[in-house]
């Protein structure tokens, strides 16, 4: 028996029942004769305004001829969030939009079809793995692999489907509990001898030219660890105590593997410097290191971001980050003297790991540079604040986020995405990975090789073995 699908939809604060049936003359005749039925001109979908007895009447009317699929009627029974409501109620196309929810802590990617969808979309999801379909929430679950996420993003963009990408948030109650527990620990007193030991370590690391970011991170982590064991001397703490701390605070409260790794590095540095006591540093196991793939923008998306930036200073800032593959800390440290117009290069001084490098600068950047310098007259640094001095990292982030928002890009992105995109686009253009390593300032080629996983250069040349099979 053929089936009819009923879906509830909210539009302009009114509830409608959408009716999807088979393309046969029986359904066509019945739906035209059904009281109150209407055909949407924009979506070519039959619908009725929902009233008290609408659902019962529809089921009764069609049940002798068709199987009724009413699972789609629950979609809007719960109160939608403001973002969901705006997305759904403003939708007027024939298909979509598609919502992607990324949950890194659980390694899950959730796909929701907020409007009409095509069967080939489901087939596309099944290309990457065996997805799980939640019949209650009407959503698909896949692994939160960066390859899967980027490939699906490219697919839906090419299909012309609107994408709504969100990052899953930690439940508010759990977040408050973590903040409460961690806050209580940090309010404890630190033994004077322990504080002195931490200060001595930080002083030594400063002499070794560790970055201020690393110093602050080590200081914060060590204070948290030793305040947790505020009644114990550092020399009395054992490996079992360290394991208990990780289980009770770090893992139970949902801190990331990256946080755990930084914490272990700080603890190891302390005991290497002051002596191990009862801790055996060789037995300390680090968490399994995940290697998420970088978030990459297409060339079209980069174009939209740069064109949406109205301020000439901000446009030049983002253009240099993308065209030179810079980090945020590197772009704010560019001095006017670092630009070599004759060689068309930029000297990056004291990049990550205090490594210098020279990168080529695009002709399009040089053409805008003179206009910018004439208009803004920077003194020492290429990008300076309103009151002088170099631009802040936070300002760079805000400029990027505003540009991405105006460009209509709702991915969970950071400024570093421009650097990732620069490297990926170079690889797709045929540049050898060793040259990309040098341009990015990576110490190891293994770091650079991650861009081969998101580049589509070789994937596009792969012939699917199914194409060789003689099947109909």
């Amino acid at each position: 028996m053929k089936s009819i699908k009923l879906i509830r939809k909210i539009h302009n604060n009114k509830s409608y029942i959408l009716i999807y049936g088979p393309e046969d003359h029986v359904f066509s005749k019945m739906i035209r004769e059904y009281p109150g039925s209407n055909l949407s001109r924009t979506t070519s979908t039959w619908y009725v305004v929902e009233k008290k007895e609408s659902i019962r009447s529809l089921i009764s009317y069609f049940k002798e001829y068709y199987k009724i699929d009413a699972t789609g009627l629950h979609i809007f029974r719960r109160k939608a969030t403001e973002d969901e409501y705006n997305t759904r109620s403003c939708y007027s196309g024939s298909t979509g939009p598609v919502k992607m929810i990324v949950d890194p802590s659980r390694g899950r990617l959730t796909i929701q079809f907020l409007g009409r969808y095509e069967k080939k979309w489901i087939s596309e999801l099944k290309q990457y793995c065996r997805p799980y379909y939640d019949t209650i929430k009407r959503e698909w679950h896949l692994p939160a692999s960066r390859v899967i996420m980027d490939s699906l993003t490219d697919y839906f963009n090419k299909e012309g489907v609107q994408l709504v990408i969100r990052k899953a948030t930690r439940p508010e109650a759990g977040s408050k509990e973590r903040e409460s527990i961690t806050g209580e620990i940090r309010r404890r007193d630190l033994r004077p001898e322990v504080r002195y030991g931490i200060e001595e370590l930080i002083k030594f690391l400063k002499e070794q030219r560790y970055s201020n970011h690393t110093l602050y991170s080590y200081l914060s982590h060590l204070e948290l660890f030793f305040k947790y064991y505020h009644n114990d001397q550092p020399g009395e703490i054992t490996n079992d105590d360290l394991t208990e701390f990780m289980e009770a605070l770090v893992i139970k409260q949902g801190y990331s593997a990256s946080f755990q790794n930084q914490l272990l590095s700080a603890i190891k540095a302390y005991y290497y410097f002051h002596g191990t006591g009862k801790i055996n540093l060789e037995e300390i196991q680090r968490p399994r290191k995940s290697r998420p793939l970088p978030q990459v923008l297409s060339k079209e998306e980069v174009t939209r971001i740069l064109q949406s930036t109205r301020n000439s200073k901000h446009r030049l800032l983002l253009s240099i980050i993308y065209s030179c593959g810079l980090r945020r800390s590197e772009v704010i440290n560019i001095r006017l003297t670092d630009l070599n117009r004759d060689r068309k290069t930029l000297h990056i001084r004291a990049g990550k790991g205090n490594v210098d490098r020279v990168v080529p600068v695009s002709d399009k950047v040089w053409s805008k540079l003179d206009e910018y310098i004439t208009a803004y007259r920077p003194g020492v640094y290429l990008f300076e604040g309103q009151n002088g001095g170099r631009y802040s990292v936070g300002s760079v982030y805000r400029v990027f986020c505003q540009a991405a928002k105006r460009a209509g890009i709702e991915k969970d992105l950071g400024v570093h995405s421009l650097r990732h995109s620069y490297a990926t686009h170079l690889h797709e253009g045929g540049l050898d990975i060793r040259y990309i390593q040098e341009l990015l300032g990576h110490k190891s080629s293994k770091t650079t090789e991650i861009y081969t996983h998101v580049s589509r250069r070789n994937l596009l040349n792969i012939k699917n073995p199914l194409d060789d099979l003689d099947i109909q």
Side-chain angles (χ1 to χ4, degrees):
M1 182 181 288
K2 296 180 180 179
S3 64
I4 288 176
K5 190 169 187 177
L6 305 178
I7 294 180
R8 179 180 281 108
K9 180 178 177 65
I10 305 296
H11 182 63
N12 292 337
N13 294 325
K14 286 186 179 181
S15 181
Y16 299 86
I17 304 297
L18 308 184
I19 308 162
Y20 299 96
E23 296 181 359
D24 58 36
H25 69 281
V26 177
F27 173 76
S28 179
K29 183 175 183 297
M30 290 184 71
I31 192 63
R32 281 181 168 83
E33 294 176 354
Y34 184 81
S37 64
N38 297 279
L39 180 64
S40 169
R41 294 182 180 179
T42 56
T43 64
S44 299
T45 304
W46 288 96
Y47 69 93
V48 296
V49 178
E50 185 176 13
K51 298 178 181 178
K52 187 175 181 180
E53 297 295 325
S54 295
I55 298 172
R56 183 178 300 176
S57 174
L58 283 167
I59 293 175
S60 176
Y61 183 74
F62 287 107
K63 69 179 182 180
E64 291 184 10
Y65 302 91
Y66 298 100
K67 181 181 178 181
I68 308 298
D69 179 4
T71 55
L73 295 174
H74 78 280
I75 294 178
F76 296 101
R77 284 179 181 167
R78 67 178 176 83
K79 184 177 180 181
T81 64
E82 183 178 355
D83 283 346
E84 289 176 328
Y85 178 78
N86 289 337
T87 300
R88 289 164 174 162
S89 62
C90 293
Y91 169 69
S92 60
S94 58
T95 52
V98 174
K99 185 172 185 179
M100 299 173 65
I101 306 172
V102 187
D103 189 346
S105 63
R106 301 172 67 184
R108 174 186 291 180
L109 173 64
T110 302
I111 306 290
Q112 297 175 347
F113 301 137
L114 302 183
R116 288 186 61 189
Y117 65 91
E118 298 182 9
K119 290 184 179 180
K120 63 180 181 179
W121 298 359
I122 308 299
S123 301
E124 181 68 19
L125 299 185
K126 294 179 180 179
Q127 294 289 326
Y128 305 99
C129 63
R130 185 176 180 181
Y132 166 73
Y133 181 65
D134 189 325
T135 56
I136 303 300
K137 296 182 179 179
R138 294 185 60 81
E139 59 189 26
W140 295 87
H141 298 298
L142 298 89
S145 159
R146 186 64 65 184
V147 172
I148 294 176
M149 290 162 54
D150 287 346
S151 297
L152 287 177
T153 300
D154 288 345
Y155 173 77
F156 286 118
N157 282 334
K158 289 179 180 178
E159 289 289 312
V161 180
Q162 179 188 350
L163 268 178
V164 181
I165 301 177
R166 295 285 184 268
K167 187 174 183 179
T169 56
R170 183 182 174 87
E172 186 177 354
S175 180
K176 287 184 177 180
E177 178 186 1
R178 184 171 78 176
E179 291 175 3
S180 175
I181 293 174
T182 306
E184 188 278 326
I185 295 173
R186 290 195 180 278
R187 285 191 292 271
R188 294 175 185 174
D189 292 330
L190 196 64
R191 288 172 174 268
E193 61 271 24
V194 176
R195 182 170 296 281
Y196 176 76
I198 294 175
E199 289 174 353
E200 286 296 300
L201 171 64
I202 298 300
K203 188 185 299 182
F204 170 76
L205 295 179
K206 280 184 179 179
E207 294 173 357
Q208 299 301 309
R209 300 291 182 173
Y210 276 63
S211 69
N212 290 332
H213 178 79
T214 301
L215 297 177
Y216 175 81
S217 174
Y218 277 26
L219 175 63
S220 176
H221 289 322
L222 289 173
E223 287 185 349
L224 178 65
F225 178 67
F226 288 120
K227 283 183 178 180
Y228 185 86
Y229 289 110
H230 63 289
N231 291 324
D232 300 318
Q233 291 285 356
E236 297 298 316
I237 296 174
T238 65
N239 288 70
D240 289 339
D241 294 328
L242 178 58
T243 300
E244 189 273 333
F245 169 77
M246 291 295 175
E247 289 287 342
L249 184 67
V250 178
I251 296 175
K252 185 177 180 181
Q253 297 305 319
Y255 283 100
S256 66
S258 175
F259 179 92
Q260 185 179 350
N261 243 324
Q262 291 176 347
L263 185 57
L264 286 174
S265 295
I267 293 170
K268 280 192 167 187
Y270 181 91
Y271 282 104
Y272 272 126
F273 184 73
H274 290 289
T276 57
K278 293 185 178 181
I279 277 192
N280 186 341
L281 298 179
E282 300 301 323
E283 292 182 359
I284 295 177
Q285 299 294 320
R286 292 186 178 273
R288 291 181 62 184
K289 189 175 181 180
S290 62
R291 284 183 59 84
L293 294 175
Q295 182 74 285
V296 174
L297 295 159
S298 67
K299 290 184 178 180
E300 291 75 15
E301 288 174 324
V302 174
T303 301
R304 282 159 50 195
I305 288 176
L306 297 180
Q307 289 182 341
S308 70
T309 310
R310 304 182 185 94
N311 185 294
S312 61
K313 176 180 179 180
H314 296 167
R315 178 179 292 189
L316 180 64
L317 173 75
L318 298 180
S319 297
I320 288 183
I321 293 175
Y322 171 70
S323 66
C324 298
L326 304 187
R327 304 177 178 93
R328 279 191 296 176
S329 58
E330 293 171 344
V331 74
I332 63 173
N333 283 315
I334 297 175
R335 297 172 181 263
L336 294 173
T337 53
D338 293 332
L339 292 159
N340 190 323
R341 187 179 296 274
D342 294 333
R343 299 183 62 192
K344 294 185 178 181
T345 59
L346 170 64
H347 191 156
I348 307 300
R349 301 182 187 276
K352 189 174 182 180
N354 282 329
V355 177
D356 284 17
R357 69 183 190 279
V358 175
V359 296
V361 178
S362 166
D363 289 335
K364 291 184 178 180
V365 170
W366 288 114
S367 65
K368 298 294 183 183
L369 200 58
D370 290 333
E371 298 177 14
Y372 163 74
I373 292 176
T374 302
Y376 287 88
R377 299 186 179 278
V380 178
Y381 295 96
L382 180 60
F383 299 105
E384 297 180 338
Q386 294 180 352
N387 299 320
R390 64 184 176 185
Y391 220 45
S392 69
V393 170
S395 296
V396 176
Y397 177 74
R398 286 190 292 273
V399 167
F400 173 79
C401 289
Q402 290 169 3
K405 184 177 181 180
R406 283 195 294 268
I409 299 172
E410 299 189 26
K411 299 179 183 179
D412 182 27
L413 299 172
V415 182
H416 217 68
S417 300
L418 291 176
R419 175 175 160 91
H420 291 322
S421 303
Y422 165 78
T424 305
H425 297 163
L426 285 177
H427 186 263
E428 291 177 341
L431 187 63
D432 189 277
I433 199 71
R434 290 171 296 178
Y435 293 114
I436 299 175
Q437 175 189 351
E438 185 175 342
L439 290 171
L440 295 179
H442 288 159
K443 290 183 179 179
S444 171
S445 61
K446 290 184 179 180
T447 307
T448 317
E449 286 170 2
I450 194 171
Y451 297 109
T452 63
H453 297 291
V454 291
S455 170
R456 298 171 64 87
R457 184 176 77 185
N458 296 323
L459 291 176
L460 295 174
N461 296 324
I462 296 175
K463 185 177 181 181
N464 195 300
L466 182 63
D467 295 335
D468 295 327
L469 303 182
D470 186 15
I471 58 175
Q472 299 298 325

